[in-house]
Amino acid sequence: DEKDLKQLQSDPKNIEDYVIEYKLNFNSDVDELRKDIIAFANSKRGFILFGIKDDPFEIIGLSRKEIDILKNLIESGIIGKIDPKLDPLPVTNPIPLSNGKYVFGLEIFPKERGLYGIRKNNNPNNPDFETYEFWIRMDGRKKRLNMDEVNLQIAKNDPYKKWIEIKFDFSSVIPEFKIPTQLISIIGINKS
């Protein structure tokens, strides 16, 4: 409710991160919103809050008409190009504000196994019908995955594969070694 939003506003750690995205309004960019949705769905449970200015944080709100347009787009156009179909579907929550407007909350749930992709074209006769983009949520932004990253994400999310990732930093073992970067990274997958 609005009280929770005001509490969020007073929190100095209220920046966008892995689980929250603020949008002042919906700028009619359906493709961008679709990418935001699957970036969360391919990562962690996340929230997109429309009607909030990010920098500096300010609760502005949306009109009821803007909320209706956004709900209809999410239920029809946005979800249509995501493959496989989102399961569960995002949950919408219009939060009434004392100024007569609303903050529109969208809760997105992660995929248990595998990844969601955005189909480039919905026409089966188009050569791009089987072409997809894959996105994940990074710290406060979305990132498009290349094929190696897609394979790694699928392997990480597959409970039938054994996955081990080892990162070794020499500076933690040899104090004289002043380079604070990771020097060795080994990823092993047992695909049997």
Side-chain angles (χ1 to χ4, degrees):
D1 61 15
E2 187 171 15
K3 187 177 102 180
D4 296 324
L5 293 173
K6 295 230 184 246
Q7 187 176 355
L8 188 63
Q9 184 175 18
S10 65
D11 183 351
K13 299 177 189 169
N14 68 2
I15 61 173
E16 292 180 334
D17 59 14
Y18 286 101
V19 295
I20 196 159
E21 168 105 10
Y22 303 118
K23 293 194 178 288
L24 180 56
N25 54 31
F26 175 64
N27 62 3
S28 301
D29 191 343
V30 175
D31 288 332
E32 195 64 27
L33 183 54
R34 192 177 290 119
K35 291 172 190 175
D36 287 328
I37 289 172
I38 73 157
F40 279 116
N42 284 337
S43 303
K44 297 180 176 183
R45 176 176 166 237
F47 301 87
I48 301 174
L49 297 176
F50 293 89
I52 294 180
K53 185 178 171 190
D54 180 35
D55 191 17
F57 187 95
E58 187 178 352
I59 302 167
I60 307 287
L62 302 174
S63 71
R64 187 178 183 107
K65 182 180 178 182
E66 289 172 301
I67 297 286
D68 289 340
I69 290 169
L70 200 46
K71 277 182 83 168
N72 288 334
L73 275 173
I74 289 166
E75 292 169 2
S76 60
I78 290 175
I79 309 277
K81 279 189 168 180
I82 296 175
D83 194 19
K85 299 289 184 221
L86 288 174
D87 183 27
L89 291 173
V91 173
T92 60
N93 180 25
I95 303 164
L97 302 174
S98 55
N99 66 3
K101 294 188 175 189
Y102 299 84
V103 165
F104 184 71
L106 184 63
E107 182 178 7
I108 302 142
F109 303 94
K111 185 162 178 47
E112 255 184 65
R113 276 192 5 222
L115 293 173
Y116 291 109
I118 298 174
R119 187 184 295 274
K120 296 298 276 178
N121 192 298
N122 276 349
N123 179 353
N125 298 321
N126 188 299
D128 284 338
F129 181 70
E130 293 296 329
T131 305
Y132 295 89
E133 287 182 357
F134 299 92
W135 296 82
I136 60 168
R137 183 77 180 171
M138 298 298 286
D139 192 18
R141 64 182 179 86
K142 60 188 163 295
K143 177 187 185 303
R144 184 175 178 182
L145 299 177
N146 63 38
M147 283 313 296
D148 287 338
E149 292 167 324
V150 167
N151 289 331
L152 286 173
Q153 286 293 324
I154 291 170
K156 279 184 181 179
N157 294 338
D158 191 339
Y160 301 109
K161 292 183 181 169
K162 296 173 184 145
W163 171 270
I164 186 169
E165 183 171 355
I166 301 167
K167 293 182 180 179
F168 189 76
D169 182 356
F170 280 107
S171 63
S172 64
V173 178
I174 307 168
E176 306 81 52
F177 207 81
K178 300 291 185 204
I179 302 173
T181 58
Q182 161 194 321
L183 297 177
I184 297 177
S185 180
I186 301 168
I187 297 173
I189 303 169
N190 179 352
K191 295 186 178 182
S192 61

